[in-house]
Amino acid sequence: MKQILTFACFFALYSANAQQVPQFSQYLRNQYLVNPAAAGVYDFVDVTVGGRLQWLGFDDAPKTSYLYVSAPLSKTSRARYNPGLRISSGPVRNPEIRTGKLKHALGGQIIADQYGAFRQLRASVTYALHLPISRNYNLSFGTNLGLSNRSFLADRAQTLN
């Protein structure tokens, strides 16, 4: 009985100490934010800046901002000036994913998340490997390595009187 009580207390303490996780939307467009294996899946440099304001109009509502870059590593591709380059706006056109070849990719992301009196800054780099399993399918693996800083903003804290 003592062991069960100890386990229950440990579980209660462990689950009560949860952290806020940034929430993202537009998963179809922001695949790299939720899955590091999506880095470099397209054959171009992908730079995305975005943000989210949750509960607009409330004081100290959650705010999330992010910047990420991902690109495949290729010995044959060279950077070229593209006068047709445009900023993504309007309906999202899904670019073609070229499969059937081994591909390495690198990426990086910076995320700032603030909720109430807490702030989290996170920066990480990503490596992804895309292995061909047939002409039409790749199997992708990815890993993240980064730093995270959580801080308490005492000037934003509210106390009950």
Side-chain angles (χ1 to χ4, degrees):
M1 185 67 174
K2 187 176 178 182
Q3 292 172 341
I4 294 173
L5 185 59
T6 304
F7 178 76
C9 288
F10 175 77
F11 185 77
L13 290 174
Y14 180 76
S15 63
N17 190 13
Q19 299 296 326
Q20 168 79 12
V21 177
Q23 295 182 12
F24 303 107
S25 57
Q26 307 293 328
Y27 289 113
L28 187 60
R29 179 66 189 107
N30 298 322
Q31 298 170 12
Y32 175 61
L33 281 175
V34 294
N35 184 1
V41 73
Y42 303 113
D43 287 336
F44 56 83
V45 176
D46 187 12
V47 179
T48 301
V49 177
R52 176 184 166 133
L53 297 174
Q54 190 174 341
W55 307 334
L56 197 59
F58 286 87
D59 292 337
D60 298 327
K63 297 175 215 161
T64 306
S65 304
Y66 57 87
L67 162 74
Y68 70 82
V69 178
S70 71
L73 298 176
S74 174
K75 295 178 183 177
T76 58
S77 68
R78 294 188 179 138
R80 296 185 187 119
Y81 173 69
N82 183 0
L85 180 70
R86 73 177 191 82
I87 302 296
S88 177
S89 63
V92 175
R93 294 185 189 103
N94 293 328
E96 181 181 336
I97 298 174
R98 296 201 175 112
T99 58
K101 64 178 182 176
L102 179 68
K103 200 173 7 173
H104 302 271
L106 287 178
Q109 62 185 357
I110 299 172
I111 300 173
D113 186 34
Q114 184 172 329
Y115 44 96
F118 301 96
R119 181 180 344 171
Q120 177 186 12
L121 299 173
R122 188 170 68 203
S124 62
V125 294
T126 301
Y127 169 75
L129 177 64
H130 305 280
L131 298 169
I133 56 175
S134 74
R135 280 181 90 191
N136 298 321
Y137 296 100
N138 279 0
L139 185 60
S140 300
F141 300 94
T143 186
N144 252 348
L145 179 65
L147 300 171
S148 178
N149 177 23
R150 293 183 187 268
S151 55
F152 177 72
L153 309 172
D155 59 326
R156 292 187 177 261
Q158 298 177 3
T159 58
L160 299 174
N161 292 329

